[in-house]
Amino acid sequence: MTAEERRESVIDAAVHEFAAFGLHGASTEAIAERAGISQPYIFKIFGTKKELFLATAERVCDRIDAQFEAASETALQRPGATSHEIIETIGKSFVELMGRREELLVLLQSFAASADPEVLEVSRRRMQQVHSFVQKVSGGSDGEVQMFMAYGMLLTVSAGLNLPAIIADDPWARKMITFEH
């Protein structure tokens, strides 16, 4: 395994631990065990647990960005697609992220850890990037993009509450995560 593959393996393992326990509660020992490496090797790669946390949050955001980019490309292939249609297509792709609950929990954990200035900077920068991307690709109004961002946060919190697990039995949960205008 190359050094880059090991780094990626550690981040994959870190998603699980940070999703469950956050920056301060996560165990680098548990991450190392899950990744099949020694704990000191984590520090050799990342330096600190916080650097690993930031790399994990960035990875999650990169995956979300890729999801949104693919959705926007699909929407833009439709002739005459309106800003509303483009935003709706990207929003529906966010629903697919609900199946990657741990990644969305990492987002929530990064917001919760934003008392740390470095975590705050990454969280703000990544949210700003999503906002700018959606506005640019859709040409949507400030209000349309704000509604998209609000819906995304609703879905992120819904993932944290594991609402997809109860939508069959609880109509309110289904209403919370169904993208309709």
Side-chain angles (χ1 to χ4, degrees), residues 128-148:
Q128 184 272 330
Q129 287 173 342
V130 169
H131 184 278
S132 294
F133 171 79
V134 171
Q135 191 145 49
K136 179 182 175 186
V137 75
S138 72
S141 69
D142 290 343
E144 287 175 307
V145 176
Q146 184 180 40
M147 289 301 295
F148 169 84

Side-chain angles (χ1 to χ4, degrees), residues 2 6 18 27 32-33 37 49-50 52 54 59 64-65 68 70 80 88 91 103 105 110 113 134 156 162 171 177:
T2 69
R6 244 184 237 108
F18 287 132
S27 161
E33 185 177 320
I37 62 169
K49 181 167 75 167
K50 182 167 66 172
L52 173 56
L54 293 171
R59 160 75 80 65
I64 292 169
D65 289 350
F68 290 170
E88 184 173 52
E103 291 184 6
L105 288 172
S110 70
V134 171
T156 302
N162 204 12
I177 63 176

